[in-house]
Amino acid sequence: MAESLAPTLVDFFSNIFGDGAFSSYVIIFLISLLPILELRGGLIAAYILHVPLIPAMIVCYIGNMLPIPFLLMFIKKIFEWMRKHHILVKLIDWIENRGKKKADEMKEKKSSLEEWALMAFVAIPLPGTGGWTGSLVAALLNLDNKKAFKVIAVGVAVAGIIVAALSYGLFDLIVGLFK
């Protein structure tokens, strides 16, 4: 999903911010803030915009992590308020059901493994996983916010390394070293 949405958003934001190095950083930051795309979409956009890998990783990581503390603290209250005011109730039900399903899967494991399971869930770069969904799962598991933030931060970093390796062709580079 990020592979198809990132180029579209690059075009959209490029029309707004124009071309140039600074605008490229703004674009990848904004894409990294978005749910579903997050850091993964930001890194794909960074590759498209020819942003160097290390600065791209830093900007995308910060963009992805910025909303996480707020999500951990307020996601349940936001959903409650939206239900009360009949705003996107079906979407909230779907998101919560998905989060509860993932939380139940993690509860089946011993509590000491909940953090590892959450980190792995966030780290796997697939649609529907990542920091945003990980925050919801952590809230539904009633994990301590500080602990959940640290676990999600590690998961986002691992996802970033995986996506950067795929986007920037690092696997090809590493394989080439051993030929």
Side-chain angles (χ1 to χ4, degrees):
M1 178 174 278
E3 308 83 33
S4 60
L5 285 176
T8 304
L9 287 173
V10 166
D11 290 340
F12 173 77
F13 285 128
S14 293
N15 289 331
I16 294 171
F17 297 110
D19 294 329
F22 179 75
S23 63
S24 295
Y25 288 101
V26 171
I27 292 167
I28 65 172
F29 178 78
L30 291 175
I31 291 173
S32 297
L33 280 170
L34 298 173
I36 300 171
L37 292 177
E38 303 185 37
L39 168 131
R40 297 159 250 221
L43 285 173
I44 293 168
Y47 179 76
I48 292 168
L49 292 167
H50 305 289
V51 175
L53 176 60
I54 300 301
M57 286 285 293
I58 293 168
V59 170
C60 292
Y61 183 81
I62 292 169
N64 195 166
M65 291 304 298
L66 189 63
I68 301 304
F70 303 103
L71 290 168
L72 289 169
M73 290 187 290
F74 301 118
I75 193 70
K76 286 182 176 179
K77 291 177 184 173
I78 292 168
F79 282 177
E80 196 176 292
W81 180 85
M82 289 175 76
R83 269 201 186 88
K84 181 180 175 184
H85 295 285
H86 308 289
I87 301 170
L88 302 172
V89 174
K90 287 184 179 181
L91 177 62
I92 292 168
D93 288 342
W94 180 82
I95 291 169
E96 266 195 345
N97 288 335
R98 182 172 170 80
K100 284 179 184 175
K101 182 181 173 189
K102 296 297 179 185
D104 289 343
E105 289 173 11
M106 289 180 197
K107 279 184 182 178
E108 289 175 8
K109 298 167 176 60
K110 292 181 181 176
S111 63
S112 63
L113 295 178
E114 284 179 346
E115 290 89 18
W116 283 102
L118 179 60
M119 190 273 303
F121 175 75
V122 172
I124 298 168
L126 295 173
T129 66
W132 282 71
T133 309
S135 296
L136 175 61
V137 169
L140 294 172
L141 285 169
N142 294 314
L143 290 179
D144 173 68
N145 285 346
K146 289 180 183 177
K147 185 179 281 190
F149 181 81
K150 291 175 187 175
V151 169
I152 292 168
V154 171
V156 168
V158 171
I161 292 166
I162 294 168
V163 173
L166 295 171
S167 297
Y168 282 79
L170 296 180
F171 286 139
D172 291 338
L173 176 67
I174 292 168
V175 169
L177 292 174
F178 294 103
K179 284 187 176 179

